[in-house]
Amino acid sequence: MEEPFPKDFRFPTIKTYSGTSDPRAHLNRYRAAMLMTGASDAIMCRGFFSTLDGQAQDWFGSLPEGSISTFTALTKQFMSYFASNVQKRKEFADLYHVKQRPTDSLPEFLNKWKREVLGVANIDDRAALIIFRNNLRSGPFYRDLIRYPPKTYNELMDRATRFAEAEVAEKRKKEEEEGRSRKNKAPQEERRAPRDCAVPRGVHEDIPKVDPNKYSHRKRELGQLTEEEEVELDNPAPRKKQAIHVIFGGPEGGDTPAERKKWARNLYVGEVVRPPHEKKPRREPIVFTEADLPDGPLSHRDALVIKVEISDVIVHRVLVDTGSSVNVMYYDTFTQLGLSRKQLGQVRTPLSGFTGDSIETEGSINLEVEIGTPPHVKRWEVEFVVSRSIALIT
């Protein structure tokens, strides 16, 4: 207590120790802080009490008077009393388990290695060089260590830090380039036609086309075609088109299971077949006569369901309702046709459902529609109102 303080001495602020954590860490912090003040051994002993709290203060107060003559003696007593709280340091051999996993980047592995090394006692730099290289995954950095082995552990860490920073910068640069590539590609994809049929004529005229029947034509020249092959070559099968099935699910035909089963048994789906007739004007309307009706009692509540071709796509299960004032296309069908929202026009009049609620629409679009089977085919332009609602619309 008689030891004078150094000139301009200020006792450092240190986190107090209550006796529940590692005493070794507290001693290291205390020594480091007091070393900067130039305090003597006696001042080190005198100031140590102010860094204690709770159980540790009780221990200090229980020391017999005159039992401490140096700070080294105080340190031994302190470490001995709180020895149970000393954290066991890892062995050098534990570093063999610190490996770079397939999912670890170089920065992640380097941070994990440094954390483990801090807890290892008596680390050997030369052995650490070998373990670090063996635990490293193959790649540019591993090849660099093989070609130019570092001489010291510090040189290894410096080189590893530079490679890790380069890897982070390269990853960031790649993400920026991919982002610009996607940004530049998006407008081109929007301008691209959704189907081959929408490409203007003449665009692909200069591209040579491969004749799928070239082999058959060659056999015809040599007189090797059979009668069936001759017929097939003269009447090639039409190109198979994409199909979209529209109507599905829902309590059609009634509110009870019995009514819906009865409706399903009476449902008739078929194609209209008419005998050949003389050529008529181009605007010949498609009509259905009594001959087209299915067998069964009249009047009936059967739904008229047909298939039509829209934008070169066969759309199945199209419900024909002569009482509707608009032609409704659900948004799912619209997207399957490969159409874009930019092609939609504005619809100013809202639609009304069976419940009386107004149904918002996405817009309207005019599409070319084809109905019938060759040679009985009719083409015309139809305006469709696109809606997301799955409720029936009046």
Side-chain angles (χ1 to χ4, degrees), residues 3 30 33 44 46 74 152 220 232 299 305 320 338 344 346 375:
E3 180 75 14
Y30 182 72
M44 292 277 288
R46 188 194 309 176
L74 178 61
T152 64
R220 170 179 282 179
E232 183 178 352
S299 63
V305 181
V320 177
L344 291 174
Q346 186 176 5

Side-chain angles (χ1 to χ4, degrees), residues 35-36 52 77 153 161 180 196 224 264 285 309 311 319 323 327 361 373 382:
L35 182 64
M36 301 299 297
L52 305 179
Q77 292 275 8
Y153 180 76
T161 301
R180 287 196 296 267
D196 292 341
Q224 299 175 351
E309 179 181 326
S311 295
L319 175 63
N327 300 306
T361 62
T373 54
V382 176

Side-chain angles (χ1 to χ4, degrees), residues 250-263:
E252 298 91 344
D255 297 328
T256 65
E259 292 178 350
R260 288 194 289 270
K261 289 180 180 180
K262 181 179 179 181
W263 178 87

Side-chain angles (χ1 to χ4, degrees), residues 321-341:
D321 180 9
T322 57
S324 296
S325 59
V326 294
N327 300 306
V328 179
M329 176 184 293
Y330 291 123
Y331 190 74
D332 288 343
T333 306
F334 178 79
T335 56
Q336 291 183 57
L337 287 172
L339 302 173
S340 170
R341 290 179 60 90

Side-chain angles (χ1 to χ4, degrees), residues 51-64:
T51 66
L52 305 179
D53 189 19
Q55 181 184 358
Q57 275 190 341
D58 296 339
W59 163 80
F60 191 87
S62 66
L63 292 174

Side-chain angles (χ1 to χ4, degrees), residues 149-211:
K151 297 180 180 180
T152 64
Y153 180 76
N154 289 336
E155 180 185 348
L156 170 66
M157 291 294 100
D158 290 342
R159 198 187 303 180
T161 301
R162 291 197 300 270
F163 268 85
E165 292 174 349
E167 184 175 308
V168 172
E170 183 180 4
K171 181 180 178 181
R172 186 183 302 113
K173 182 68 174 177
K174 186 177 180 180
E175 290 175 350
E176 293 176 355
E177 292 175 350
E178 290 178 350
R180 287 196 296 267
S181 176
R182 288 193 296 268
K183 185 177 180 181
N184 296 335
K185 187 178 180 181
Q188 298 177 3
E189 292 181 345
E190 291 180 1
R191 293 194 297 268
R192 189 178 304 163
R195 293 288 183 274
D196 292 341
C197 62
V199 179
R201 295 182 179 178
V203 174
H204 299 306
E205 290 180 355
D206 297 334
I207 302 177
K209 298 182 180 179
V210 179
D211 184 3

